[in-house]
Amino acid sequence: MNESYERLKPYMEKAQALQTAMVLFEWDNETLAPRAAAPYTARMIGAISEEYLRVMTDETARKLAQDCGDGAGMTEAEAAALREFREEMKKLERIPAKEYREYAELTARSAGIWAEARKNRDFGAFAPTLRQVLDYQKRFASYQAEPGQKLYDVMLDSYEKGFDMESLDRFFGQLKTELVPFLRQVMDCGRQPDDAFLEGDYPKEKQEAFAGFLARYVGFDFDRGVMAVSAHPFTTNLHNHDVRITNAYTRRVDDAIFSVIHESGHGIYEQGIPDALTLTPAGQGASMGMHESQSRFFENIIGRSRAFWVPLYGRLQETFPEQLKTVSLDAFVRAVNKARPGLIRIQADELTYSLHIMVRYEVEKLLVEQGMDVRELPEIWAEKYREYLGVCPENDGEGVLQDIHWSQGSFGYFPSYALGSAFGAQMYETMKTQMDVEGLLEQGNPAPIREYLREHVHRYGKMKTSRQILKDMTGKEFDAGCYIRYLKEKYGMLYGI
Amino acid sequence: MNESYERLKPYMEKAQALQTAMVLFEWDNETLAPRAAAPYTARMIGAISEEYLRVMTDETARKLAQDCGDGAGMTEAEAAALREFREEMKKLERIPAKEYREYAELTARSAGIWAEARKNRDFGAFAPTLRQVLDYQKRFASYQAEPGQKLYDVMLDSYEKGFDMESLDRFFGQLKTELVPFLRQVMDCGRQPDDAFLEGDYPKEKQEAFAGFLARYVGFDFDRGVMAVSAHPFTTNLHNHDVRITNAYTRRVDDAIFSVIHESGHGIYEQGIPDALTLTPAGQGASMGMHESQSRFFENIIGRSRAFWVPLYGRLQETFPEQLKTVSLDAFVRAVNKARPGLIRIQADELTYSLHIMVRYEVEKLLVEQGMDVRELPEIWAEKYREYLGVCPENDGEGVLQDIHWSQGSFGYFPSYALGSAFGAQMYETMKTQMDVEGLLEQGNPAPIREYLREHVHRYGKMKTSRQILKDMTGKEFDAGCYIRYLKEKYGMLYGI
């Protein structure tokens, strides 16, 4: 037992409780709260977030965290919790309280301004706000930076420890060299599948019931989780026994199907956090990228595979006989994997997805490191989409205004999506040497796959970084080659090239 | 402006925010949270409730509240908020923190123990816990008591300011003298209506849709509120722009119909609290009794009247043609007003309802003031039910274990239900001299009735006590006579006596 840690615990627990309350307010706001509630509830959330800041910068707590020393007498889980708590403290205590409050007020407004600008396809209406948010983020990064550390590296590290511009330039460089020409090959081969049947009058209730079935099938535990409806699918959690996924239902049946598998991937990760870690600062997924690796692994590597649908496609046909009776399993699998360079990230297929991310990565570098003004965004955005994807937005709504992230100050977040996809492919390569993944899926038995991920990823929470998890699991350092091999093999097969 | 009050505000706001978070956790737990979440979430709620206690007993806040003096320079709303805040502070600071925590832990467990005992119809399994809860409540009341004040009077006053045993003895005395023999007359007249058609295969979805329609019809504002499903109907609110009602759907269609009107009555009250009061300690309904006056006014006086159903019954028949096609409006109205002495309070009709409350009031007096041991409860309960209602429970489940209230320490709460019914009847007597209530309902226009209540009740929040509201609205002191006249007239008419 570590005396100081025991005395620190009530502070950690209070901070956790306040944060959990904020998570619940946010969930409620996205899924249920009445239209007119937001401005009133925001005052309460503001007060709770101020209290959170107060706890995290409390002098006694800071002293106790220091007195814990190097973690002698603590369990591994406690040591991880302490490390995360200290990092969050350090981060917050470097930001002047006044700036923190001003920034909180700014981002409380900015999502609304962004949404309005997007509706009107008018980047100009959002640009001044975005400039302010970016300025704050750069200033905050400068407070965190070690001597000589670049600001964008600080931002990247906060989402994905151990990844900086150097490693990401290499990563995206490989993708660019390999995938941009490969994509052209795929597009030029003239074998685009028909996917028109995926769109139509798919009744919402039936979609929702099937989505619930899929979540349960891949292993989301409804004793420890719920599923609801929101404008855009997301996952959140109060702790490992209360994990919440949402889904949205449109005229495209594949939207709901693959969103729910994606969110279940996130959810299964959080349900796999052990009791010793939950409700501590180490009781979450290792990083954004590692989280995306799980969601995208379930969605794409598993969920869009032919083997996955062998035992399930009949059930899907029975659910929607009008639309799918005459569509074969193979035609369905080809359709849900159709590659098609587009303008919208969240509609992108598996092959083009990381190219959307590459655009954002390069643009963020320009904004943070090259001093590019936000006014130049629409033009540079269009240029890069033309270069990598061969398409060009006709308005800001389908261009630079499509993502909410920057309005919330999340610069450095996007690369995690691409890294996650690559992490997943690397895990898959190893996993296939350990078990017959395809065979299990064909037998309708995804449990061993999920258990393997629980064993090697989920149960560590934040005790390991994503780099450590990958290395311990696959026996080698992060290697983007796996991802490129995986994509080329899969799409080579699908398109017969 | 009052300098001290301005400085007190952040404390009040923080306390309010923590309380709002607890409301949201509770709502979520009753409506959505997954099965296995409770013990983990409870730790977070515990931490937030401790923080609430810390704010409410903060030395600086206490001093500031004192320094506000007699409220000079404050608005009426601020003065009311200050008064409520001071009262809550005073109450909490008199309870030793250790006892408060022990009690919170006890009541966190006690609802589960009660529920289990009720399921097994075994009062003996609950008795030791109930004794502990009662002991704490008596001790806490002794901390609050003014010199010479009786403990049960302290408890009663905390739910209904200005009502004590003396006034309630008189109130229940009148009810006993007038209603017990009148009920016998009604039962003996041999004109019981048929209500068998109210039970049957009423599809849940249709019930829910009709309940939503009714809520909107009586004036519940869905821009500022939501409706969900829970095991037992209830109302809660985050503030005046986020008011939440729930309903439950059974095989008895009248359950859902009158529950939703009841909860809408509570909800409309909270939606009618003005912005100047909401999110302050005075921003709620005046008292438990005043709240019940509104819910029971909507449910019974309005909702169970023939006039209310004149414009609506056709729609109800169309919704459930199988069950109601051949049932006339008059037969329906008689059925939903059927008087029938029973064992279960929440199933009681309007005429017998307050007799259920009377039993509980008399039993609580014995427990708190006469030192009766909880062991004697089942027997005394049975005796009183036999005397007032002519029925006798066959087991503890349908007897003394039916209500959750005591397990939560709510001694002194029950009388509010009966008082609320009586408040509503007194308001109704006055209202009828001001507008043609029946005519408005027959025309399908309940809005002026709701607005009248908003004007005279809702907009005051806690700025007035229930006694003040009644006096200002009706021009006279609380008078149980109105209630007795109302019941006798209504049931006299229905039963032709």
Side-chain angles (χ1 to χ4, degrees):
Chain A
M1 215 180 80
N2 183 308
E3 185 79 22
S4 301
Y5 187 76
E6 294 305 311
R7 285 172 55 209
L8 180 61
K9 266 185 183 168
Y11 291 90
M12 290 173 73
E13 182 137 303
K14 197 194 291 177
Q16 188 70 37
L18 295 166
Q19 216 165 27
T20 305
M22 289 190 281
V23 167
L24 185 60
F25 273 116
E26 200 182 322
W27 158 270
D28 186 76
N29 182 47
E30 297 290 336
T31 54
L32 185 79
R35 203 188 54 74
Y40 295 79
T41 307
R43 280 170 51 195
M44 298 295 95
I45 298 173
I48 287 178
S49 117
E50 264 187 40
E51 182 61 16
Y52 174 74
L53 184 66
R54 209 191 54 73
V55 178
M56 292 304 294
T57 54
D58 183 277
E59 196 44 41
T60 313
R62 204 185 56 74
K63 182 106 194 5
L64 285 169
Q66 217 163 31
D67 293 348
C68 290
D70 60 357
M74 290 162 63
T75 67
E76 218 182 324
E78 288 173 342
L82 175 64
R83 190 194 61 231
E84 295 295 325
F85 190 71
R86 278 173 171 167
E87 279 179 19
E88 173 81 352
M89 278 196 130
K90 202 171 93 181
K91 194 167 138 188
L92 290 173
E93 78 195 6
R94 288 183 179 184
I95 301 175
K98 183 166 165 289
E99 286 182 31
Y100 183 87
R101 201 165 43 244
E102 286 166 358
Y103 178 68
E105 281 164 21
L106 174 62
T107 48
R109 288 197 318 276
S110 59
I113 297 169
W114 163 77
E116 185 68 16
R118 185 170 76 150
K119 208 177 69 189
N120 301 326
R121 302 164 173 191
D122 175 13
F123 180 70
F126 177 52
T129 306
L130 179 59
R131 190 179 291 118
Q132 283 182 286
V133 173
L134 178 61
D135 285 347
Y136 270 110
Q137 278 297 323
K138 285 164 86 168
R139 204 170 328 144
F140 292 170
S142 76
Y143 299 147
Q144 313 298 334
E146 302 301 320
Q149 196 184 12
K150 300 257 200 229
L151 297 189
Y152 193 45
D153 280 343
V154 174
M155 296 175 185
L156 290 169
D157 197 75
S158 78
Y159 295 107
E160 207 61 48
K161 269 180 207 167
F163 283 87
D164 56 12
M165 283 185 278
E166 197 191 322
S167 44
L168 286 171
D169 282 348
R170 200 162 50 237
F171 171 57
F172 284 114
Q174 280 177 275
L175 297 190
K176 198 189 297 192
T177 314
E178 301 275 353
L179 294 186
V180 173
F182 180 69
L183 174 62
R184 246 171 243 140
Q185 236 183 308
V186 167
M187 287 302 102
D188 293 347
C189 80
R191 277 187 288 276
Q192 273 297 29
D194 170 32
D195 68 344
F197 59 83
L198 292 176
E199 188 163 348
D201 286 332
Y202 286 91
K204 191 181 162 315
E205 302 71 38
K206 285 189 179 182
Q207 286 196 59
E208 193 169 354
F210 197 80
F213 160 74
L214 280 176
R216 203 178 302 269
Y217 180 78
V218 298
F220 184 78
D221 178 355
F222 279 94
D223 277 348
R224 302 164 67 168
V226 296
M227 182 175 96
V229 176
S230 65
H232 300 287
F234 69 93
T235 302
T236 190
N237 66 307
L238 303 189
H239 43 69
N240 65 351
H241 281 69
D242 190 338
V243 180
R244 297 165 180 222
I245 59 178
T246 73
N247 207 359
Y249 302 96
T250 69
R251 286 178 52 81
R252 275 197 73 112
V253 74
D254 56 332
D255 280 354
I257 286 175
F258 295 102
S259 289
V260 80
I261 303 178
H262 181 97
E263 303 307 332
S264 296
H266 283 303
I268 288 166
Y269 194 171
E270 291 299 337
Q271 289 180 337
I273 301 290
D275 276 6
L277 286 176
T278 200
L279 293 177
T280 79
Q284 305 265 341
S287 69
M288 279 311 310
M290 194 46 69
H291 240 299
E292 284 298 319
S293 83
Q294 300 305 289
S295 56
R296 294 184 66 78
F297 179 89
F298 275 97
E299 175 195 346
N300 294 321
I301 298 181
I302 299 298
R304 293 186 199 263
S305 73
R306 187 182 186 282
F308 181 82
W309 287 101
V310 165
L312 299 181
Y313 186 60
R315 185 176 180 133
L316 185 67
Q317 282 182 307
E318 278 164 34
T319 310
F320 305 108
E322 258 179 68
Q323 294 91 346
L324 299 179
K325 201 170 42 193
T326 63
V327 177
S328 73
L329 168 61
D330 285 308
F332 174 76
V333 172
R334 275 199 304 275
V336 301
N337 283 294
K338 183 175 181 175
R340 186 176 19 189
L343 290 162
I344 307 295
R345 177 183 61 86
I346 59 167
Q347 291 168 4
D349 55 84
E350 205 179 347
L351 182 57
T352 58
Y353 187 82
S354 57
L355 304 179
H356 291 260
I357 300 303
M358 189 162 71
V359 171
R360 289 155 178 77
Y361 170 66
E362 295 185 356
V363 166
E364 286 186 348
K365 270 209 303 189
L366 290 171
L367 285 171
V368 179
E369 290 299 331
Q370 308 298 320
M372 183 178 85
D373 188 78
V374 296
R375 254 177 325 203
E376 298 177 49
L377 270 173
E379 201 182 321
I380 195 93
W381 185 276
E383 250 172 52
K384 291 191 181 287
Y385 262 82
R386 214 178 296 120
E387 184 184 347
Y388 304 144
L389 287 141
V391 295
C392 184
E394 288 188 6
N395 61 63
D396 297 337
E398 58 183 31
V400 67
L401 283 175
Q402 68 184 269
D403 299 307
I404 194 174
H405 301 58
W406 290 341
S407 78
Q408 297 304 290
S410 302
F411 294 93
Y413 183 119
F414 282 119
S416 299
Y417 290 117
L419 283 174
S421 304
F423 294 169
Q426 183 168 340
M427 290 178 191
Y428 185 50
E429 209 169 272
T430 299
M431 194 187 277
K432 280 192 296 185
T433 68
Q434 313 279 316
M435 61 175 79
D436 177 13
V437 177
E438 223 170 291
L440 287 166
L441 291 176
E442 282 177 1
Q443 291 154 32
N445 183 19
I449 299 166
R450 186 184 68 240
E451 286 312 311
Y452 187 84
L453 292 169
R454 181 155 299 171
E455 175 66 17
H456 292 281
V457 181
H458 308 173
R459 73 186 175 98
Y460 293 106
K462 284 185 182 292
M463 293 202 299
K464 294 182 181 184
T465 64
S466 51
R467 281 196 184 273
Q468 278 175 306
I469 289 172
L470 272 182
K471 190 162 181 198
D472 294 347
M473 181 177 183
T474 70
K476 53 181 189 179
E477 295 292 338
F478 168 60
D479 171 15
C482 307
Y483 182 39
I484 291 163
R485 276 195 295 281
Y486 161 76
L487 284 176
K488 285 193 166 179
E489 190 185 318
K490 174 169 181 176
Y491 278 88
M493 208 112 97
L494 283 164
Y495 279 81
I497 47 177
Chain B
M1 215 180 76
N2 182 308
E3 186 79 22
S4 301
Y5 186 77
E6 293 306 311
R7 287 173 54 210
L8 179 62
K9 266 186 184 169
Y11 292 91
M12 290 173 72
E13 183 137 301
K14 196 193 294 179
Q16 188 71 37
L18 295 165
Q19 215 164 30
T20 305
M22 288 190 281
V23 167
L24 185 60
F25 273 115
E26 199 182 324
W27 157 270
D28 186 76
N29 182 47
E30 297 290 335
T31 55
L32 184 80
R35 200 188 55 76
Y40 295 79
T41 307
R43 279 170 51 194
M44 299 294 95
I45 298 173
I48 287 178
S49 114
E50 264 187 39
E51 183 60 18
Y52 173 75
L53 183 66
R54 208 191 54 75
V55 178
M56 293 304 295
T57 52
D58 183 277
E59 196 44 43
T60 313
R62 203 186 57 75
K63 180 104 196 4
L64 285 169
Q66 214 163 34
D67 292 348
C68 291
D70 59 357
M74 292 163 60
T75 67
E76 216 180 326
E78 288 172 341
L82 176 64
R83 189 194 60 229
E84 293 295 325
F85 190 71
R86 278 174 171 165
E87 279 179 17
E88 174 79 352
M89 278 197 129
K90 200 172 93 182
K91 192 167 139 188
L92 290 173
E93 79 194 6
R94 290 185 179 184
I95 300 175
K98 183 166 165 289
E99 286 182 30
Y100 183 87
R101 203 165 42 244
E102 286 167 356
Y103 179 68
E105 281 164 21
L106 174 63
T107 48
R109 288 197 318 275
S110 59
I113 298 168
W114 163 77
E116 186 66 18
R118 186 170 75 150
K119 208 177 69 189
N120 301 325
R121 303 166 172 187
D122 175 15
F123 178 71
F126 177 52
T129 307
L130 179 59
R131 189 179 292 119
Q132 281 181 287
V133 173
L134 177 62
D135 284 348
Y136 271 109
Q137 279 297 324
K138 286 164 86 166
R139 201 166 335 140
F140 292 171
S142 75
Y143 298 148
Q144 314 298 335
E146 303 301 321
Q149 197 185 10
K150 300 256 199 229
L151 297 188
Y152 193 47
D153 280 342
V154 174
M155 297 176 186
L156 290 170
D157 195 75
S158 78
Y159 294 105
E160 207 62 48
K161 269 179 208 169
F163 284 86
D164 56 12
M165 284 187 277
E166 196 190 324
S167 43
L168 286 171
D169 282 347
R170 199 163 49 238
F171 172 55
F172 284 114
Q174 279 175 279
L175 297 190
K176 197 187 300 193
T177 314
E178 300 276 351
L179 294 185
V180 174
F182 180 68
L183 174 62
R184 244 170 246 142
Q185 232 183 312
V186 167
M187 288 301 105
D188 293 347
C189 80
R191 276 186 289 274
Q192 273 297 26
D194 171 30
D195 68 345
F197 58 85
L198 292 175
E199 187 162 348
D201 286 331
Y202 285 92
K204 190 180 161 318
E205 303 71 38
K206 286 190 179 181
Q207 286 196 58
E208 194 169 353
F210 197 81
F213 159 75
L214 279 176
R216 203 179 303 268
Y217 179 80
V218 297
F220 184 77
D221 178 355
F222 279 93
D223 278 348
R224 303 164 67 167
V226 296
M227 183 175 96
V229 176
S230 65
H232 300 287
F234 69 93
T235 302
T236 189
N237 66 308
L238 303 190
H239 43 68
N240 66 351
H241 281 68
D242 191 339
V243 180
R244 298 166 180 220
I245 59 177
T246 73
N247 206 358
Y249 303 97
T250 69
R251 286 178 51 81
R252 276 198 73 113
V253 73
D254 56 332
D255 280 354
I257 287 176
F258 295 101
S259 288
V260 80
I261 303 177
H262 181 97
E263 302 308 331
S264 295
H266 283 303
I268 289 166
Y269 193 171
E270 291 298 337
Q271 289 181 336
I273 302 290
D275 275 7
L277 286 176
T278 200
L279 292 177
T280 78
Q284 305 266 343
S287 69
M288 280 311 312
M290 194 47 70
H291 240 300
E292 285 297 321
S293 83
Q294 301 304 288
S295 56
R296 295 185 64 79
F297 179 88
F298 275 96
E299 176 194 346
N300 293 323
I301 298 181
I302 298 296
R304 292 185 200 264
S305 73
R306 187 181 187 284
F308 181 82
W309 288 100
V310 165
L312 299 182
Y313 186 61
R315 185 178 181 130
L316 185 68
Q317 281 181 307
E318 279 163 34
T319 310
F320 304 108
E322 258 180 68
Q323 292 91 348
L324 299 179
K325 202 170 45 194
T326 60
V327 177
S328 72
L329 168 62
D330 285 310
F332 175 76
V333 173
R334 275 199 305 276
V336 300
N337 284 293
K338 183 175 179 174
R340 186 174 21 187
L343 290 163
I344 307 296
R345 176 182 63 85
I346 60 167
Q347 291 167 4
D349 57 85
E350 206 180 345
L351 182 57
T352 57
Y353 187 82
S354 57
L355 303 180
H356 290 260
I357 300 304
M358 190 163 71
V359 171
R360 286 154 179 78
Y361 169 67
E362 295 185 357
V363 166
E364 285 186 348
K365 271 209 304 188
L366 290 171
L367 286 170
V368 180
E369 290 299 331
Q370 308 299 320
M372 181 179 86
D373 188 78
V374 297
R375 255 177 324 201
E376 297 177 49
L377 271 173
E379 200 183 322
I380 195 94
W381 186 277
E383 249 172 51
K384 289 191 182 288
Y385 261 83
R386 213 177 297 121
E387 184 183 347
Y388 302 144
L389 288 142
V391 294
C392 183
E394 288 188 5
N395 61 64
D396 296 337
E398 58 183 33
V400 67
L401 283 175
Q402 67 183 270
D403 300 306
I404 194 175
H405 301 59
W406 291 341
S407 79
Q408 297 304 291
S410 302
F411 294 92
Y413 184 119
F414 282 118
S416 299
Y417 291 117
L419 283 174
S421 304
F423 293 169
Q426 183 169 340
M427 290 178 191
Y428 185 49
E429 209 169 272
T430 299
M431 193 188 277
K432 281 192 296 183
T433 67
Q434 313 278 316
M435 61 175 79
D436 177 12
V437 177
E438 222 168 293
L440 287 165
L441 290 176
E442 282 177 0
Q443 290 153 34
N445 182 19
I449 299 166
R450 185 182 69 241
E451 287 311 312
Y452 187 84
L453 292 170
R454 182 153 299 171
E455 176 67 20
H456 292 280
V457 182
H458 308 172
R459 72 186 176 98
Y460 292 107
K462 285 184 182 294
M463 293 202 299
K464 295 183 181 182
T465 63
S466 51
R467 281 196 185 273
Q468 280 175 307
I469 289 172
L470 272 182
K471 188 161 184 200
D472 293 348
M473 182 177 182
T474 69
K476 54 181 189 179
E477 295 292 340
F478 168 60
D479 170 17
C482 306
Y483 182 38
I484 292 163
R485 276 194 295 281
Y486 160 77
L487 284 175
K488 285 194 166 177
E489 190 184 318
K490 175 169 180 175
Y491 278 87
M493 208 110 97
L494 282 164
Y495 279 80
I497 47 177

